Amino acid sequence: MHSFIDHIPHIIAPELLAQARVFIDTHSKFVITAHFSPDGDAIGSVLGMKQYLEAKGKEAKVVLNDAPGNNLSFIPGFRSDVIIFDNQNDGTPSQRDEAIRTIQQSDAMICLDFNTASRMGSMKDLWMSHTAPKLLIDHHLAPELEQFDICISHPELAATCELVYRLILELGDDHLLNKQIATSLFCGLMTDTGWFIFNSNRPDFHLIMARLMMEDVDRENIIKESHVVPERKLRLEGYLINQKLHVIREHKAAYISLSQSEGRRYGHQKGDSEGYVNAPLDIEGVQVSAFFREEKNFVKVSLRSKGEYPVNLIAEKFYNGGGHRNAAGGEFFGSLSQAEAIFVKVLPLFDKYLQ
Ligand code: 5GP
Ligand code: MN
């Protein structure tokens, strides 16, 4: 119908595409998940996949380890269309039993936007011990191939949502696209590219965007809504930038840290600190930034960089994490000051990547 989509090159290996086709055709009760602390690409891809499978007449449910933050409330169904395995801190009734039942009753499992089973958090053992076949669709480096039955992994792509659309297209199901699917996928493309700043130079990325827009995605409104923040978030951001920003000129680096007591003072809630790691990168001459947030049992680390600077290596080696070259993160099991000290100490080792 839309002939311009013929210009989107097909990239999924034919044997994997054939396996994915059989996987979808021969099963009827799908359960879909994404990584813990789900971001926009995680939520967008699980909802887009669910809606696509439903358009094919399948039963499809989404189970997530933990609830998305309210900063993602611009994604339709971000909370209502997902079942949360561990919502202890969410203030809502427990959905654990429903999550367990849904996983155990499924006959096929789909994993989106993560590359290692450990990224499922506390749900990992329950998920991995269910014997139904598992399909992984992801854009992180080095997936754990042995953990999944079919692995469709494309680290060169901007977002898992891009890969979900490509799978739909390459399976010959582009005609099933509707406003709901397109809106979900659009949200993930938007957030994982930092509102179309990163990884979005490829022409076919924009052909996919154009295809989603054909389904009446309300781009303008979604972008506006996604920028609405609670007052406390802006006040905390002001405090952090004014009082907690450290710039290390020598290594073109900057970092910010947030303790639990500071979080309490500003009424910090899950999702509020999303994006704080990006602010220091706006400083002239800064090429790498870190954000450390103290939690009960660990420090959540977020890293961002420009150019060739591989923050995924820092996340892997020092913070039990991983990610992409320019956006990575992890968890550090120690104090906030130790997490900061390690960052400062490893910077000289990475000077060779500075431009
Ligand atoms: P963020 O800083 O937004 O939490 O994460 C940025 C990217 O880093 C994510 O898209 C993900 O690829 C990676 N990442 C964040 N936290 C972790 C973690 O705990 N483990 C691993 N392996 N990757 C992470
Ligand atoms: Mn992603």
Side-chain angles (χ1 to χ4, degrees), residues 41-310:
D41 191 31
I43 301 297
S45 59
V46 293
L47 292 177
M49 179 57 84
K50 170 184 160 66
Q51 292 147 358
Y52 161 64
L53 290 171
E54 286 171 350
K56 280 185 86 69
K58 307 281 182 181
E59 187 183 313
K61 292 189 174 162
V62 172
V63 175
L64 295 173
N65 178 70
D66 53 322
N70 285 330
N71 59 310
L72 296 172
S73 62
F74 60 89
I75 304 178
F78 86 110
R79 191 65 185 78
S80 57
D81 293 351
V82 305
I83 302 163
I84 305 299
F85 174 70
D86 179 3
N87 62 348
Q88 292 165 13
N89 304 320
D90 194 34
T92 56
S94 177
Q95 292 176 290
R96 181 175 285 247
D97 291 344
E98 190 184 352
I100 295 172
R101 225 180 313 120
T102 303
I103 292 172
Q104 291 177 341
Q105 289 174 356
S106 69
D107 64 7
M109 309 170 86
I110 302 182
C111 305
L112 298 175
D113 200 36
F114 64 94
N115 53 352
T116 64
S118 63
R119 293 275 284 148
M120 278 185 284
S122 56
M123 192 175 72
K124 177 192 155 191
D125 291 341
L126 173 70
W127 185 273
M128 296 311 287
S129 64
H130 186 50
T131 53
K134 298 174 183 68
L135 164 66
L136 176 82
I137 302 174
D138 179 49
H139 73 135
H140 293 87
L141 291 164
E144 278 175 352
L145 297 172
E146 68 287 356
Q147 300 272 23
F148 309 93
D149 298 282
I150 310 170
C151 275
I152 302 182
S153 164
H154 282 269
E156 77 279 16
L157 298 184
T160 299
C161 281
E162 180 180 348
L163 190 48
V164 170
Y165 171 72
R166 287 175 180 277
L167 179 66
I168 295 172
L169 172 73
E170 297 187 27
L171 286 172
D173 283 339
D174 174 83
H175 63 282
L176 292 178
L177 224 62
N178 56 36
K179 182 170 179 173
Q180 228 188 353
I181 301 172
T183 299
S184 298
L185 298 181
F186 172 86
C187 288
L189 284 173
M190 175 178 86
T191 55
D192 254 26
T193 57
W195 282 255
F196 311 111
I197 295 174
F198 314 111
N199 298 323
S200 46
N201 272 349
R202 281 172 296 112
D204 40 326
F205 176 88
H206 295 275
L207 290 175
I208 292 172
M209 284 289 297
R211 176 64 189 93
L212 300 181
M213 298 305 296
M214 309 284 301
E215 301 300 327
D216 275 341
V217 172
D218 195 349
R219 180 183 191 276
E220 232 178 273
N221 217 24
I222 292 171
I223 294 181
K224 276 185 205 154
E225 270 185 53
S226 69
H227 281 84
V228 173
V229 295
E231 180 182 338
R232 60 172 192 272
K233 176 177 161 71
L234 212 61
R235 293 201 182 275
L236 177 53
E237 190 169 348
Y239 163 72
L240 291 174
I241 290 176
N242 195 350
Q243 306 283 324
K244 301 294 304 285
L245 171 67
H246 298 263
V247 181
I248 308 166
R249 286 275 163 211
E250 194 189 346
H251 301 295
K252 300 192 175 183
Y255 69 91
I256 291 175
S257 64
L258 171 64
S259 70
Q260 280 192 293
S261 65
E262 288 166 325
R264 275 193 294 274
R265 203 188 314 149
Y266 283 86
H268 178 272
Q269 288 181 19
K270 187 172 178 173
D272 282 0
S273 49
E274 192 71 35
Y276 287 167
V277 65
N278 296 313
L281 266 196
D282 290 342
I283 301 170
E284 205 173 12
V286 168
Q287 218 182 310
V288 55
S289 81
F291 177 69
F292 303 97
R293 191 184 73 236
E294 185 184 42
E295 294 202 12
K296 210 159 85 194
N297 301 318
F298 60 90
V299 175
K300 172 76 181 87
V301 182
S302 281
L303 301 163
R304 297 290 186 274
S305 69
K306 290 181 176 168
E308 300 297 313
Y309 203 109

